[in-house]
Amino acid sequence: MNEIDDTTGSGARSRRGVLKAAVAGAGAVAAVGVGGSVARADERRCAAPVFVLVHGAGGNSYGWAPVVAELALRGHKAVAVDLPGHGRGAYYPVSYQTPQDLEALRTEPSPLGKVTLDDFAEHVVGVVRRASRLGAVVLVGQSMGGVTLNAVANRVPELISHLVYASAFCATGHTSAAQLMSTPEGSTSALLRLDRVETPPGLGVNRANWRSGDPAFFAAAKEALAADWPDAAVRALIATLEPDESAAIGTADSRGLPEKWGRVPRTFLRFTQDRAIPLALQDLMIREADAATPRNRFRVRSLAAPHVGPRDAAVWADELELAAGSCR
């Protein structure tokens, strides 16, 4: 690992000055397209940041709302992305509604069954293109959002100032998130103990019944996502999650290409209390990524946080400011 800087999760407010010093006098940033010169891309990396936030499986932009608000109140530009089939475009099976039809829920088709990683990447590339006209893009992904980060960085590395993986999948030595989860390091994941709706392979979706009233399901979800949160906070979190995710995302080849993705400076937010992506698996991804690009290693920050990250949005903002301030 290039650097491990353990924090307590309380968030030192003095960090807020780090970014201001790093970007002082940056001024307005000219739009730079795909054909922009290396010099202009380097200039953009030292400009005022624009944070683009990507959610994980079954999530949506709402999950980033507290972080976006905190960044905005600190004077930053930030946008949370709804990936295709999520957020306002989400699909909720009729059988998922109350009263639920659990038998029909196993077989009801979903439009997410046709969504691919290319769809995710194309959508986020469009957001990054627009954001890059406003400043230096800091692209952030949580959990399965890291798969999209790799795909986007493989396409438009010249438009991204920094990549931030918040306990997120980053495949380099292994081909996919699914393959990473099948390693010994992933074998202790609490996600493997979370009951999923058994859908036929042809449906093309991974489906979770977040509205289940089964206490065992709630206990497993809490362990996987936020074991140290109060039950009420976990219920509020689960209420924002969506039942369907494209099965193609986790199995797609999402390796970061050294000549593309590997050119972009990157940070890994290492969540030490994560039971969904165990610490050993996070460390494996960091090692493999660093081996792929030894001259551009992960900057590593360790936070005492569960899979969904710190509850305090200020801690998130502190870390993202630090990542944006590590301009090269």
Side-chain angles (χ1 to χ4, degrees), residues 194 217-231 234 238 275:
L194 184 65
F217 177 86
F218 176 80
K222 178 177 179 177
E223 180 187 6
L225 303 177
D228 61 337
W229 285 23
D231 285 359
V234 175
I238 289 176
R275 299 180 186 177

Side-chain angles (χ1 to χ4, degrees), residues 147-211:
V147 172
T148 300
L149 260 60
N150 279 19
V152 172
N154 281 343
R155 294 186 180 204
V156 289
E158 71 282 356
L159 297 184
I160 304 169
S161 170
H162 205 93
L163 292 164
V164 179
Y165 293 78
S167 193
F169 286 101
C170 180
T172 49
H174 291 77
T175 61
S176 66
Q179 193 175 88
L180 283 163
M181 285 292 286
S182 70
T183 62
E185 291 82 357
S187 64
T188 61
S189 172
L191 290 175
L192 301 177
R193 297 186 290 278
L194 184 65
D195 284 341
R196 300 283 181 169
V197 178
E198 294 184 7
T199 57
L203 211 60
V205 296
N206 294 323
R207 180 168 285 167
N209 184 9
W210 299 112
R211 294 177 179 170

